């Protein structure tokens, strides 16, 4: 669901659950976490922005954050999303590669318990 949602960003190279060297690339990882109350499910996701240019990665991470906040109270592919909370905002994390820059953030997403995986 998040791959489809974030793939609509203007200027994105690609989004997915496995790293591709198409910039800017958004990597989505669902962290084993959360719980449910039989109606709503809470899941934690890491969102990473990769780019060959540091400033472009920083700029695009702000676009991704804005898009994540707009996900609140929406439906994506028929999946209701009631809440998105920022756990850790975007910050640069050294990827130990001077040609690849990474910014990472962590969000908690509340969606219908019977919805497809994030």
């Amino acid at each position: 669901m998040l791959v489809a949602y974030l793939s609509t960003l203007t200027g994105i190279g690609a989004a997915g659950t496995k790293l591709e060297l198409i910039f800017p690339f958004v990597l989505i990882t669902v962290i084993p976490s959360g719980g449910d109350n039989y109606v709503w499910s809470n899941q934690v996701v890491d969102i990473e922005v990769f780019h060959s240019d540091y400033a472009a990665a920083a700029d695009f991470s702000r676009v991704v954050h804005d898009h994540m906040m707009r996900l609140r109270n929406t439906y994506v592919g028929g999946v209701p999303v009631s809440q998105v909370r920022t756990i850790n905002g975007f910050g640069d994390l050294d990827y130990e590669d001077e040609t690849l820059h990474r910014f990472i953030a962590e969000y908690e997403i509340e969606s219908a318990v019977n919805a497809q995986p994030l």
Side-chain angles (χ1 to χ4, degrees), residues 7-21:
S7 292
T8 65
L9 284 169
T10 301
I12 191 166
T17 58
K18 293 184 181 177
L19 183 60
E20 297 178 41
L21 296 180

Side-chain angles (χ1 to χ4, degrees), residues 1-2 30 33-45 68-69 71-76 79-87 107-118:
M1 185 260 307
L2 285 176
V30 179
S33 61
D36 65 70
N37 63 4
Y38 294 104
V39 178
W40 296 101
S41 172
N42 292 299
Q43 293 293 314
V44 175
V45 295
M68 289 298 294
M69 293 296 94
L71 185 56
R72 296 174 178 157
N73 301 313
T74 64
Y75 284 81
V76 178
V79 176
V81 177
S82 63
Q83 188 60 261
V84 176
R85 295 175 194 85
T86 305
I87 297 172
Y107 297 90
E108 182 181 49
I109 299 175
E110 184 180 83
S111 64
V113 75
N114 62 349
Q116 66 186 21
L118 296 176

Side-chain angles (χ1 to χ4, degrees), residues 65-103:
H65 175 72
D66 179 63
H67 213 60
M68 289 298 294
M69 293 296 94
R70 291 173 189 263
L71 185 56
R72 296 174 178 157
N73 301 313
T74 64
Y75 284 81
V76 178
V79 176
V81 177
S82 63
Q83 188 60 261
V84 176
R85 295 175 194 85
T86 305
I87 297 172
N88 293 300
F90 275 103
D92 64 325
L93 189 62
D94 187 10
Y95 201 62
E96 298 183 8
D97 181 343
E98 292 182 17
T99 64
L100 190 59
H101 303 280
R102 170 174 63 172
F103 281 71

